[in-house]
Structure formats: C-alpha cells, structure tokens
Amino acid sequence: MKKLYTLLLLALTTVSFGQVFTDNLNYADGALLIDNGWTAQSGAGTNSIDVGASNGLSYAGYSGLTGITASAEGNAALLDNTGEDVNKPFAASVTSGTLYYSFLVNVSSPSDIATGGYFTSLGNGTTNFAARIFVRPSTTPDKINFGVSNTSTGTYGTTDFDLNTTYLIIVKYDVAVAGSVSLWVETSGVPSTEAAAGTAEATASGGGLATIAGVYLRQFALTQNITIDGLYVDAGWFGNTPPPTCPLAFQAATKVCDAITGGTDTYTVTIPFIGGATGTYNLNADSGTIGGDNPSTTASGNIIITGLSEGTNLVFTANGGDCNLTVNVTSPNCTPPPTGVALPFSEQFAYAEGAALGGQTNWANINTGDDILTTAGNLSYTGLAEVGNSISFAGSGIDTFLTTSDVTSGTVYYSFLTNISSMTGVTDPNGGYFAGLGSSTTTFGATLWTKQVDDTNFNFGVEVRTANAANTTWTPDAYQTGQTYFVVVAYTFGADAADDSVNLWINPVVGSPEPTATITDTHTATDLATINKFFFRQDSATETPSLQIDALRIGTTWEEVTGTNLGINNSNIAGLKVYPNPVTNGKLFIETSANAEKAVVVYDVLGKVVLNTKTVTSEVNVSSLKGGVYIVKITEDGNTATRKLVIR
C-alpha cells in the first residue's frame, strides 16, 4: 500500500507596502519585556527576559539616529536562560505577501548554546511559529553557524561566524501555509536591495503559517547568552517597494512512494499550479523527469516529476518574466511501517547528529511539536560499552513510540542511561513522566517520573499506571543534575487485573544478579493486559526536564537489560568473533562455538537496513557496502548480539 506525504509549498500573493513592526528595546536598565508591551506565551515569570544596562548593539547604517531603525542605541534584550518566552503583536495581523524581519544579534560563547536551537521567530498565538532563527556551535572551535526553518529543525548555513561580534540578520518570509523562508547574515553594511544581498545563507520551506501576528523571543538553553536588538519588520526590503507580483503560483504539492520496501525505492512529486499561460516558463528539476502539464501553455494543472530516488531531495525551479520560483521537496521515507520488533531489543541511537528519532526505522511520532533528536556522543557508565550516539529532548513536543511483540505475562524490563542537565523551571508539584511501556499510544504503564527538589536535585518515581499522578511512588533520596544514572524499570503482570507491580532500580551493578529494587509501586489500578509499546514523552516545560538518554534496552529478563555490552545476550552467543574490523576486502567473518545458521542484519548510521542475509558458514559478503560506520546484528539460535562495524 502506498503512503501519501504532503509538503506545503510556496504561495505568492501581495501585501500593502509599509512598515509593520519596530522595537529598539530601549527600556530602563534591567526592565522586563513583559512590563513593556510584551506578553509571555510560556514559562511566565520564570527567568523573565530583561534588558541590560547600556548594552545596546551597534551596527553602522542600521542602528543609531541615522540608521534604518532611527533610534539611539540604548539597551537590548538578554536571552540568557530557560523559562519565559515572550511575544509582541503587530498592530494588525498579516495574512498574505512577504515580510522582511531584521535585527542585530551578538552571541558570547558556543558552549552556552549546547547543540543549538532557535531564539526568535515570527508567529501567531502561543504555539504557532514560523521563520525561526537558529544558532549552534560550529565544528570549527569558537565559531558559530546560523540557520532558519519554519519547524523545530533548523537548516543551517555553512559560514562560520565569530563570537562576541554583532551581526545584522535579515529574514524573508512568504506568508503562506507553506511559506518559504530565507536568511542573510551581514557582517557590515546594509544591502540596498534583496538582489544586492546576494545568495542567502540558508533557506527552507514548508510548515509555515498563513497568518503572522507578531515577533517572538525564545530562551532555549539554560546557559545561552544571546543579545538581540533593533527588531524591524517591513513588507519591503527596508522600506523598498515590494517586487512585481508573479502571476504563476504553486499550490500544495504531494510526494508519493512508488513502492514501500526495505530497499531504496523511487517516489513521484506532483506540484499543482495556477496562473499559467501568462508567459514562457523554464522548468528545471535537479533530479527525476519532468512531465504533466506545462504552465507556459496551460492556465492550471499539475507538474509531475517521476523517477526520484528515495533519499534524494528535489529542487524544482520555474523561471520567466517576473517569476523566479523554487520548490524544495524532502524525500519521503519509503520503508514499511514498524510491525513490532522482537524482544530482546537494543537501541544504540546510531543515527546522524540532529536526526529525528521518530523518522528512524521502528520508531513513530505521536502529537506535534519539537522532535526528539539524536545527539552526538554517548553517556558513560562502568561496564557498558559506548556505541552509536544518544538522544535529547526537553519540555513539550512530539512523543515517540516503538512497537514491540506482544507480552501478556511475566515481566517486561527496560533500561537506559540518562543525564538530566537542569530542573530549573520544572516546577509541577506532581512531577512528570518521560518514558514508559504501554498497550497503545494512549494506555501506559511502568512510567518513569522526575520531580524537582530544587534547581539541581530531583527524585525519580514510577507508577503502575498514569491515571493519577498522586499514586506515583518516589525515591526517598534525591539525585543530582548533571550526573549519569543507569535506570532499570520492570512491569510485572499479577494474577489478576489489579495486582500488577512496577520496580525501579537506580545504578545497579552491570552484569550482576537482580538485586532488591530501589522502589516498588503497587497502587491498585486497571492494569495493562498487554505490553507492546515503549515510548519517550515530552509533556511540558514544567514537567519534562532537559534529558540526554543513551543505551536503551528492552527485554523479558534481567540479564537482557543489564548485560555488560550494548549487544543483547552477547554472553549467550558462545565464542562469538567478528573480524576483520575494519573490513578492507569486502569479506566479514562471524564465528561462534556452535557455528549454526546465523541471521545477519547490517544498519547504516541512519538506522536503515542496508544488508539482510543468512549464512551457514562464517563468511558474509559485505562488498556492496560503501566505506563508513555500521551496526551489525547477529542472531543465532534465538540469541542476538550487536557489534560496531567499520568498512573501508
């Protein structure tokens, strides 16, 4: 069965010319923004955003009485914590045309912004954002990159920018449900026109808003240190007359997988258009074959691009007359939906840095908002090998589920390493749960909770079911932020539907027999009849702290989730040897004491199966694999192990 994916694209209209918004943030020293026309849309009163003392940013031709903003350089907003996020509305909402949003920014240290995030945007309401501006540390020491997106995942430019330096940021946003957004970062001077600004540092499209009502400022990291000043929004480039209107317009496009298999498939993109037959348009696609209706001769119809390879994104352009249109289409994932992984299961998060967990094999997203993202590096714990990467999330956002085979009796265990960086702002008196098991995407059990003691200390908790937060059983001891903990949770089915129990262990010795649990929850509840789900949950800023998680394992015995290696049941595959590593001649050898038939599955760093075979000998042909890092999973006589594999 084919899957249908919809990508919202660029719709071009016009808006009345003129200035829309300006704020130079020249309030009294130390003044709060919420006391000067700004409104908190989240985290109200927690680490409120203020201005400093004579900390206004300076940029020739933009700030100052002779600059674009025409105001003396006074104070500027300090985005230097987590907690309160604010917005200030326009005099009237904008529902069509193009907006140009500009401001000055100065970032003090890359370590303050961790792995990056967005710190300002346009939007409407309290949860709808577009034209989000991102910053992250560069791979070059003591440098930063800027990015842009309409979603929670930024598209970053490749230019390295300096710390403690003031830059002029210019953002162009086409106001539409699928509005495109472009970002320029100027180091000196103010370009007189968009053309004079040259190629944008970064561009993105899709996931936008058809109504823009104001400017938004966001505190995304505990120790971020970003100064922002001179906010200015106009319908033209710094007051210039908007460019001529293009009569040709693209509507929402669709992308359809031609097949759904475990290999590399092809997909087809359909781009509806209106306003055709108004000129001669040159059409170009960087991949695939263009067909369908021709907008040069047809008033409305569909441009169809076929033969696109899964994993290859599409850039499509239409040029002619006053039109210079671009459509960016991200390749769909044409892999089959998860049908339930067998237990025991191990997840090393061996995906690219910044990849969304919900887009990987076996995982699926529920709800909307910020993704759970892959983070480079591992957490360390004595006895556990460090393989792959880890994941991180915080606050509200998408919940991500793994479907497993059904378990209806006995005990289901899950374990992982976790490090909570801060409990600042996580103030819900009932705490919040961030992981657990379930029988569906709405029925949960064995939930793992945290609750603030203070900004640097917290309690862990567990609950049989999530129906009543007051029934959570909490650890008597507090645990520290910034420390890595090995947590194991077990759900045990009872004799009837109301006597199931949940155990929690904190920092058990790896490879030891099952010890007495740290805490046990036995609150009476309507217990789970079946377990076939594991999930990570992002609830809210006051319930979900900033977490890093690594080395997830799920099984039905203690040994399967607390063994000494990330591979499951490695000790049960007697005499396992995997060599050579790295492989240089296309031949991998896998030996065991039994030398029975083995199922061998190789995954790339994005978690996609690139080789799936069985062997009754010790030799496996891997010559089809390109040079790189992989994970190989070996199953023999019901026992499974995983190893990191390097191909050269």
Side-chain angles (χ1 to χ4, degrees):
M1 180 178 180
K2 292 184 177 179
K3 289 184 178 178
L4 181 67
Y5 300 81
T6 300
L7 180 68
L8 301 177
L9 300 171
L10 175 67
L12 298 177
T13 56
T14 59
V15 70
S16 59
F17 161 68
Q19 185 184 104
V20 176
F21 174 94
T22 184
D23 191 334
N24 281 283
L25 303 165
N26 288 339
Y27 309 129
D29 289 353
L32 303 182
L33 296 195
I34 55 175
D35 293 334
N36 290 276
W38 292 77
T39 301
Q41 73 261 13
S42 67
T46 302
N47 302 320
S48 296
I49 299 175
D50 61 0
V51 298
S54 300
N55 67 326
L57 301 180
S58 176
Y59 187 97
Y62 184 82
S63 60
L65 294 177
T66 60
I68 296 294
T69 58
S71 178
E73 296 145 5
N75 286 329
L78 296 172
L79 308 183
D80 56 5
N81 214 314
T82 56
E84 184 179 87
D85 301 333
V86 300
N87 69 83
K88 191 172 185 179
F90 298 159
S93 296
V94 178
T95 59
S96 63
T98 299
L99 289 178
Y100 293 90
Y101 171 33
S102 60
F103 57 89
L104 303 179
V105 68
N106 189 301
V107 181
S108 70
S109 169
S111 63
D112 291 337
I113 54 178
T115 57
Y118 71 93
F119 58 94
T120 184
S121 68
L122 303 176
N124 68 69
T126 59
T127 59
N128 301 316
F129 313 118
R132 308 185 204 199
I133 311 306
F134 292 73
V135 65
R136 71 177 181 187
S138 169
T139 56
T140 303
D142 298 321
K143 300 288 186 178
I144 54 175
N145 305 130
F146 289 103
V148 69
S149 177
N150 290 326
T151 70
S152 58
T153 302
T155 298
Y156 284 89
T158 58
T159 306
D160 286 340
F161 294 97
D162 293 323
L163 301 169
N164 301 304
T165 302
T166 297
Y167 295 104
L168 170 60
I169 302 290
I170 307 169
V171 184
K172 176 186 178 182
Y173 177 66
D174 294 304
V175 183
V177 172
S180 62
V181 59
S182 301
L183 167 73
W184 290 265
V185 183
E186 301 297 328
T187 59
S188 63
V190 181
S192 58
T193 63
E194 182 178 334
T199 303
E201 175 69 16
T203 61
S205 63
L209 299 173
T211 299
I212 299 297
V215 168
Y216 291 68
L217 300 180
R218 177 175 183 251
Q219 301 189 102
F220 68 86
L222 176 66
T223 57
Q224 72 184 67
N225 199 338
I226 301 172
T227 303
I228 188 169
D229 199 4
L231 309 175
Y232 180 83
V233 182
D234 202 297
W237 183 275
F238 297 115
N240 294 342
T241 302
T245 300
C246 171
L248 178 65
F250 294 129
Q251 297 179 315
T254 59
K255 49 186 177 181
V256 178
C257 293
D258 300 323
I260 304 292
T261 72
T264 300
D265 300 306
T266 59
Y267 68 101
T268 298
V269 170
T270 300
I271 307 173
F273 66 86
I274 58 175
T278 52
T280 300
Y281 300 103
N282 298 314
L283 308 182
N284 181 69
D286 66 347
S287 183
T289 302
I290 300 174
D293 300 311
N294 186 347
S296 295
T297 57
T298 306
S300 62
N302 296 298
I303 299 168
I304 300 174
I305 305 169
T306 58
L308 296 162
S309 180
E310 179 189 6
T312 300
N313 298 334
L314 168 69
V315 179
F316 173 80
T317 60
N319 302 304
D322 293 326
C323 297
N324 187 6
L325 308 181
T326 300
V327 175
N328 295 292
V329 180
T330 303
S331 169
N333 181 359
C334 301
T335 56
T339 57
V341 298
L343 298 181
F345 173 80
S346 169
E347 174 61 272
Q348 294 89 7
F349 305 113
Y351 313 123
E353 179 184 359
L357 179 61
Q360 310 309 318
T361 302
N362 300 320
W363 294 91
N365 286 333
I366 303 295
N367 302 326
T368 59
D370 291 346
D371 285 305
I372 294 174
L373 299 178
T374 304
T375 301
N378 300 102
L379 298 177
S380 298
Y381 189 81
T382 302
L384 294 181
E386 298 179 20
V387 178
N389 282 316
S390 54
I391 59 171
S392 60
F393 56 93
S396 61
I398 284 171
D399 301 337
T400 303
F401 281 78
L402 170 79
T403 299
T404 71
S405 53
D406 290 346
V407 181
T408 58
S409 62
T411 301
V412 179
Y413 299 81
Y414 67 85
S415 69
F416 51 75
L417 299 177
T418 185
N419 188 305
I420 297 173
S421 62
S422 173
M423 294 299 293
T424 301
V426 188
T427 55
D428 191 300
N430 292 318
Y433 63 96
F434 64 93
L437 303 172
S439 59
S440 70
T441 57
T442 57
T443 304
F444 311 141
T447 47
L448 180 61
W449 297 62
T450 58
K451 181 170 64 174
Q452 184 195 64
V453 175
D454 53 42
D455 287 355
T456 58
N457 292 274
F458 62 94
N459 298 117
F460 282 111
V462 287
E463 189 178 351
V464 174
R465 287 290 304 277
T466 58
N468 186 348
N471 287 341
T472 305
T473 297
W474 297 97
T475 55
D477 297 327
Y479 296 88
Q480 291 185 338
T481 58
Q483 301 292 318
T484 296
Y485 295 100
F486 181 34
V487 297
V488 184
V489 180
Y491 187 102
T492 300
F493 292 95
D496 57 46
D499 64 354
D500 294 0
S501 62
V502 172
N503 286 330
L504 169 66
W505 293 264
I506 305 294
N507 288 348
V509 176
V510 173
S512 68
E514 182 173 328
T516 301
T518 305
I519 55 173
T520 300
D521 182 66
T522 57
H523 283 103
T524 300
T526 303
D527 299 326
L528 299 176
T530 301
I531 291 176
N532 57 21
K533 295 285 188 297
F534 173 83
F535 67 89
F536 291 115
R537 181 174 188 256
Q538 301 182 101
D539 196 350
S540 71
T542 60
E543 296 173 88
T544 309
S546 178
L547 296 142
Q548 184 179 0
I549 289 175
D550 196 7
L552 168 67
R553 289 183 278 180
I554 309 169
T556 56
T557 69
W558 175 262
E559 291 76 15
E560 289 171 352
V561 298
T562 62
T564 56
N565 295 296
L566 284 174
I568 303 171
N569 277 355
N570 281 332
S571 59
N572 289 342
I573 302 183
L576 176 63
K577 297 179 181 178
V578 180
Y579 67 92
N581 199 356
V583 175
T584 58
N585 63 357
K587 294 181 179 180
L588 176 69
F589 294 91
I590 303 174
E591 294 182 358
T592 66
S593 296
N595 277 330
E597 182 182 68
K598 292 175 281 292
V600 179
V601 182
V602 180
Y603 301 86
D604 65 15
V605 294
L606 298 178
K608 186 165 186 175
V609 175
V610 293
L611 180 66
N612 190 344
T613 187
K614 291 184 178 180
T615 180
V616 294
T617 68
S618 61
E619 182 177 323
V620 178
N621 185 348
V622 294
S623 60
S624 62
L625 302 182
K626 298 177 180 179
V629 179
Y630 299 86
I631 299 294
V632 58
K633 183 171 75 172
I634 306 144
T635 303
E636 180 187 67
D637 293 334
N639 299 313
T640 299
T642 58
R643 291 290 189 271
K644 184 177 180 180
L645 176 66
V646 177
I647 304 290
R648 289 182 180 169

